[in-house]
Amino acid sequence: MPIRLRHRTVHGYRRAFRMAGKGRAILLIHGIGDSSDTWRDVMPGLARSYRVIAPDLLGHGASDKPRADYSLPAYANGMRDLLGVLGVERVTLVGHSLGGAVAMQFAYQFPERCERLVLVGTGGISRQVTPLLRAATLPGAELLLRALQLPTMGWQVSALVRVLRALDTGLGVDAEDLVRVVDALPDGTARSAFIRTLRAVVDWRGQVGTMLDRCYLAQGMPTMLVWGGRDQVIPATHAGLGHVAMPGSRLEIFEDAGHFPFRSDPQRFEAVLRDFMSTTEPAPYSPEQWRRLLRTRRPDRVLSA
C-alpha cells in the first residue's frame, strides 16, 4: 500500500515528505534529482518496526524549488528543522548519493541528533565521480536537460538504455533509474534547482569537497556503508576508502547492483538495515566527548566502547 505524501511549511517553503510506522526513527535521504518515492520498495517493510521518514529535499520532488541555498550545510539544517516540526529528537540517518553527503553533514553539525549512520553509494568521500555529473555542471547544462524532455528525444534515450543493457555495462545497470531522475525535472524551476544543487558539490574536476578530514569523528557512531559493486556513478572504490576512514564501520557490497542497491534488491537492503539496527546501540553523545575528539582525534573510553 503506498505511503501518502504529506506537507509542512518550514521557513515559508513547502516541504514534502512521507512518514509511516512507530518506534525509533529512521530518516531516509534521497540523492540528487530524486525524491522520497525512490524508497517506496523499502519503506513499508521498515515501517512495521520503525518510524520511517523520507523527505523530498528542497528543490526536489514535490517540495518547493526556490532560488535558495542548496549547499550541504543548508540541506542538513533543513533536515534538522523538518524533524523539529515533526517532533523527532534523534534519528538513524540513511543517505543515498547526495543524501549520504547530507547525512554526514547532519551528523557533523548535529551529532546529538544522530543515533546511527548508513551511507548508500554516498557522495562526499572522495573526488571521483562519473563524467556525466561533471559535464552537467558546465555552462549550457540546463539547456541540455531541457532538450532531453523533448518528445523526439524519448525514443533515442530508450534506444540508448537498451544498448547499454545489452552490452552489460556498469552504466546500463542504472540507466533506467538515471533516465527516471532526468524525467523528474519537468520544468525550468526543477532543472534550475538540480543544477544549483549539483554545482554546490561537483565541478568539472569532480566532487568539490570530501568528509575524509572529519571521518575520525565517526568513532563511537555506529556506521554502515552499502554500495553496489557495479556502481559507475560513484565507484565502489569509495566504499573501501570510507570503510577504512571510519573506525568500526561495516561494509556491505551488493555485487550485481549499481548506484541504487536499495532498488535493485530491496529485500536484501531491508534485511541488512534491520540487522544493523538490531545489533547496534544508538550512539552516545556528550559535549565533552565531542570536544575531546576535536582536540585529540582520539576517543575516550566511553566513545570507544
Side-chain angles (χ1 to χ4, degrees):
M1 181 177 179
I3 298 173
R4 69 182 180 86
L5 200 63
R6 310 183 190 194
H7 299 87
R8 292 288 188 277
T9 298
V10 184
H11 306 314
Y13 298 127
R14 193 168 184 249
R15 313 270 183 151
F17 65 97
R18 301 173 197 274
M19 184 168 65
K22 296 181 180 179
R24 288 201 172 272
I26 299 176
L27 182 67
L28 302 171
I29 310 175
H30 63 75
I32 190 167
D34 216 334
S35 73
S36 58
D37 185 59
T38 199
W39 303 104
R40 64 178 180 269
D41 293 332
V42 298
M43 280 194 75
L46 292 173
R48 288 195 287 268
S49 306
Y50 307 102
R51 185 180 188 184
V52 187
I53 306 160
D56 286 1
L57 293 173
L58 194 69
H60 294 70
S63 288
D64 281 348
K65 301 168 181 64
R67 184 176 183 272
D69 183 358
Y70 291 115
S71 66
L72 294 179
Y75 275 131
N77 289 340
M79 294 298 94
R80 176 203 58 188
D81 294 343
L82 177 62
L83 292 175
V85 168
L86 298 177
V88 177
E89 291 297 323
R90 305 192 78 207
V91 294
T92 289
L93 293 157
V94 180
H96 172 239
S97 198
L98 171 74
V102 173
M104 286 190 286
Q105 186 70 33
F106 183 101
Y108 171 60
Q109 290 180 208
F110 313 112
E112 72 281 2
R113 307 290 295 272
C114 187
E115 295 188 340
R116 302 173 186 81
L117 190 59
V118 180
L119 306 172
V120 187
T122 186
I125 288 181
S126 185
R127 305 283 183 183
Q128 188 182 5
V129 71
T130 178
L132 289 175
L133 288 180
R134 296 204 302 269
T137 67
L138 298 175
E142 195 166 342
L143 292 176
L144 177 58
L145 288 174
R146 182 179 180 182
L148 290 174
Q149 305 293 325
L150 296 174
T152 53
M153 291 294 294
W155 71 269
Q156 297 178 53
V157 172
S158 297
L160 178 60
V161 169
R162 288 195 296 272
V163 169
L164 290 172
R165 281 180 166 178
L167 294 175
D168 196 29
T169 63
L171 201 57
V173 175
D174 290 318
E176 191 170 295
D177 274 309
L178 295 176
V179 170
R180 175 181 59 82
V181 168
V182 172
D183 286 345
L185 305 173
D187 55 41
T189 56
R191 291 188 291 270
S192 178
F194 174 87
I195 295 297
R196 283 178 180 272
T197 302
L198 183 61
R199 287 175 177 166
V201 292
V202 175
D203 63 18
W204 64 272
R205 293 170 294 183
Q207 295 190 69
V208 173
T210 79
M211 294 291 285
L212 289 179
D213 60 339
R214 280 160 281 175
C215 279
Y216 69 93
L217 294 170
Q219 296 176 71
M221 173 72 67
T223 302
M224 179 170 64
L225 296 98
V226 180
W227 231 277
R230 303 185 68 188
D231 191 340
Q232 297 297 305
V233 177
I234 301 178
T237 52
H238 292 216
L241 290 172
H243 182 47
V244 170
M246 296 178 181
S249 62
R250 298 187 189 182
L251 176 60
E252 292 283 344
I253 300 293
F254 287 39
E255 294 80 4
D256 297 324
H259 191 53
F260 298 82
F262 57 95
R263 292 177 63 86
S264 299
D265 194 343
Q267 290 77 23
R268 180 182 172 188
F269 183 84
E270 182 183 335
V272 164
L273 182 53
R274 281 181 173 279
D275 178 71
F276 178 65
M277 294 285 292
S278 64
T279 57
T280 57
E281 293 296 324
Y285 173 79
S286 79
E288 180 53 41
Q289 292 169 355
W290 189 250
R291 283 192 291 269
R292 181 182 175 88
L293 272 177
L294 289 169
R295 290 168 180 163
T296 68
R297 297 177 64 98
R298 293 194 305 272
D300 60 29
R301 284 178 294 178
V302 174
L303 279 174
S304 61

